[in-house]
Amino acid sequence: MQATPSRTWSPWSVFAITSLGTFAVVLDALIVIIAFPTISRAFQGADAADVSWVVNAYTIVYAVLLVPAGRFADLVGRKRIFLLGIAMFALFSGLSGAAPTLGLLIAFRAAQAVGGALLTSTGLALTLGAFPRERRILAVTLVGAIAAIAVVAGPTLGALIVQYADWRWIFFLNLPIGAVVAVAGYAVLTESRDVAAGARPDVLGIALLGTGAALVTYGIVESGTLGWGSLPVVASMVVGLALLAAFAVQLRSARHPVVDPELFRDRGFVFANLGMLVFCVGFTASFFNTVYFLTEVWHYPLLWAGLALTPPALTVACLAPIAGRLTTRFGHRRLVVPGGLIYALGQGLLWYRVTPRPDYLGVWLPGSIVMAVGIAFVLPVLTSAFSYNLPPGRYAVGTGVGMSFRQFGSVVGAALAISYLASLGSGLSAYHQIWLLTIVSGLATSVLGLGLSRTSEFRAIVEGNERRGSAAVVSAAPSTSVGTSSARYTPGASPDSSRGLVRVERSSGAEAVRPPTAISVGPPPPT
């Protein structure tokens, strides 16, 4: 039996809902960092290392759960997990704001991170599923623009809340956002899942991945306090990496692995994720470097420092849609390679020209605008590069992998920045070390960008998919039973021809399952 939805919503409605959820997650992370000194003073008797777990607990849980959350969403339903994620994120954010003790605040933040991981891993997947393939690049890069707007709002809004209200309101802020996303998502989003992936996930693989990622993240986070050579840091890193190596072996042998190894046969997926990892190391370190430099060296008030970040962030938000249109025409490589170089140039201008004497308009603003142009050509384009060719049955887990690479890069960048600033004191040497790190990050991203598809390869994929839309012969399977397809995902193939997408549509409480389709087409035209 097949039901038809009572109303068909525009893909942009889905985009608006999932982007607002993404906005809340990015905004929350930035506001908490800005409010960290105030939170430290609120719990008298607790040292900075203890209070740091308000951030660390969230970071570790969030990073660990992104891939398993994506896998879980692909199996049980992306809409269902998205709504669960926003509910948990908002609920435990509110409880964090009401927490009477530091221990409860840390516990609630860890629970909030579970919701954040569920929300993040499914939001982009729902966006990908709502748009036709030829429009996904623009949609994904616009998601990057929304994240950039959160970067604009985060420091300034956090400073305003801390200065004129109370730090607890940085958590209460998520309650109305969560309510709007949950209500709109329930009404608009369409359920979809991958029933061909098998009903029983690889529990051993999830355990190896989760424990290994948690130990590695813990080691990175604690390195800023204990030092890279300390026994707890070395032990957690060694054991964590060993478990991740065992997870890689388990992928090959598991019947229903957490991450389909076939995804890593796609060169674009691999190089886009590596580029995201490397770039986010420098990007996150740069954020810490900017806030600390403006407040500690130039002695800007926190609100001024937040406002100083607004022009470059607005530049990213304005250029991200343009980057999306250029990517649609020229492919990912032609933006990421120059984008990394431009980013390195902007950081180099700051490294070379900044002095202890404040000069925002003459020195800081020009360098930060150049840097922002590079960010607009790299960050949203890499997100598009790792998600563009995902098969529909792997939308959530594939984007979860990409977001995990991004998150681990951010964790490393934050740990390195804090370590440099703590070990080298308040002089310019610490900030120069971080600027050099960001320059290397930009250059390395450009090198990795060379591994992305050439323009001719990219156009072959696009033109092939346009032909699929006009000349495809569709044969629908006659049964809606859950089973495992014998088809395999081929990198570079259309997602529509991959295995295992089943879309579930609801109408008046009824649930209907559309079976997967097989599409037969000829090869793409030569370029």
Side-chain angles (χ1 to χ4, degrees):
M1 177 178 180
Q2 181 170 314
T4 303
S6 57
R7 178 174 180 179
T8 300
W9 295 89
S10 164
W12 293 107
S13 300
V14 178
F15 169 84
I17 294 167
T18 57
S19 295
L20 186 56
T22 300
F23 179 89
V25 174
V26 176
L27 185 70
D28 178 84
L30 292 172
I31 288 182
V32 172
I33 292 174
I34 291 293
F36 181 80
T38 305
I39 297 174
S40 299
R41 291 191 293 270
F43 294 99
Q44 298 180 357
D47 58 27
D50 293 332
V51 180
S52 69
W53 281 97
V54 174
V55 176
N56 295 344
Y58 183 98
T59 299
I60 292 174
V61 173
Y62 181 79
V64 165
L65 291 183
L66 279 170
V67 174
R71 169 69 167 155
F72 188 57
D74 282 334
L75 288 173
V76 306
R78 294 159 191 145
K79 173 182 176 178
R80 187 174 301 168
I81 297 304
F82 180 84
L83 295 178
L84 175 62
I86 190 62
M88 291 185 64
F89 183 82
L91 172 63
F92 286 104
S93 181
L95 290 175
S96 296
T101 66
L102 179 60
L104 281 176
L105 174 57
I106 293 171
F108 290 146
R109 283 285 288 166
Q112 184 190 5
V114 177
L118 296 175
L119 175 63
T120 303
S121 62
T122 52
L124 186 57
L126 288 165
T127 302
L128 289 170
F131 284 85
R133 180 152 184 173
E134 63 273 11
R135 302 180 69 185
R136 285 179 198 157
I137 292 176
L138 177 60
V140 171
T141 50
L142 286 175
V143 172
I146 297 296
I149 293 173
V151 174
V152 173
T156 305
L157 184 59
L160 285 171
I161 292 174
V162 169
Q163 186 167 340
Y164 295 107
D166 185 87
W167 66 266
R168 296 181 182 275
W169 281 95
I170 67 174
F171 297 112
F172 295 149
L173 183 66
N174 289 321
L175 292 174
I177 297 177
V180 170
V181 173
V183 172
Y186 182 80
V188 172
L189 298 178
T190 300
E191 187 61 281
S192 63
R193 63 175 180 266
D194 173 27
V195 300
R200 296 187 60 185
D202 178 20
V203 177
L204 177 59
I206 292 174
L208 290 172
L209 174 62
T211 307
L215 288 173
V216 171
T217 308
Y218 171 82
I220 294 171
V221 166
E222 287 296 285
S223 65
T225 303
L226 302 178
W228 288 100
S230 64
L231 180 61
V233 170
V234 172
S236 63
M237 294 287 288
V238 170
V239 175
L241 290 173
L243 291 176
L244 291 178
F247 167 72
V249 175
Q250 178 67 9
L251 286 182
R252 299 286 181 179
S253 58
R255 182 178 180 185
H256 303 299
V258 180
V259 180
D260 191 342
E262 297 290 326
L263 291 175
F264 294 97
R265 293 179 57 191
D266 186 335
R267 186 186 68 192
F269 183 81
V270 172
F271 277 93
N273 279 303
L274 292 176
M276 182 69 77
L277 173 70
V278 171
F279 187 78
C280 284
V281 171
F283 177 77
T284 305
S286 175
F287 181 82
F288 277 87
N289 202 38
T290 298
V291 173
Y292 274 82
F293 184 87
L294 293 178
T295 56
E296 299 298 325
V297 179
W298 283 6
H299 302 292
Y300 280 14
L302 189 58
L303 181 57
W304 286 21
L307 292 173
L309 293 172
T310 302
L314 282 176
T315 301
V316 176
C318 292
L319 290 180
I322 298 175
R325 296 183 186 279
L326 291 174
T327 303
T328 303
R329 182 175 180 182
F330 298 111
H332 301 99
R333 176 191 287 194
R334 288 199 174 183
L335 273 79
V336 172
V337 173
L341 296 176
I342 294 171
Y343 177 78
L345 174 62
Q347 295 286 4
L349 290 173
L350 295 176
W351 170 79
Y352 181 73
R353 300 187 63 198
V354 168
T355 68
R357 179 185 176 184
D359 187 359
Y360 180 77
L361 293 179
V363 174
W364 193 277
L365 185 60
S368 62
I369 293 297
V370 173
M371 176 184 65
V373 174
I375 294 172
F377 284 1
V378 171
L379 203 55
V381 177
L382 283 176
T383 303
S384 168
F386 76 66
S387 60
Y388 176 72
N389 205 37
L390 289 173
R394 297 295 184 267
Y395 278 162
V397 71
T399 56
V401 170
M403 292 303 171
S404 293
F405 274 84
R406 178 173 179 166
Q407 182 66 15
F408 278 112
S410 298
V411 169
V412 174
L416 289 175
I418 293 172
S419 177
Y420 280 135
L421 294 170
S423 62
L424 298 177
S426 58
L428 281 180
S429 60
Y431 302 100
H432 278 107
Q433 291 285 346
I434 298 174
W435 275 316
L436 287 174
L437 172 67
T438 59
I439 293 170
V440 172
S441 170
L443 296 175
T445 301
S446 291
V447 173
L448 290 169
L450 295 172
L452 300 176
S453 298
R454 297 182 177 90
T455 303
S456 58
E457 297 171 337
F458 181 80
R459 287 179 178 173
I461 296 174
V462 174
E463 292 172 5
N465 286 315
E466 288 174 351
R467 291 188 62 184
R468 288 179 175 90
S470 60
V473 177
V474 181
S475 58
S479 171
T480 60
S481 61
V482 176
T484 302
S485 168
S486 61
R488 298 292 292 173
Y489 161 58
T490 302
S494 166
D496 298 321
S497 62
S498 66
R499 65 180 186 179
L501 175 67
V502 167
R503 182 173 294 278
V504 183
E505 296 181 339
R506 299 179 183 275
S507 178
S508 305
E511 188 176 275
V513 180
R514 290 185 181 178
T517 61
I519 301 179
S520 175
V521 299
T527 58

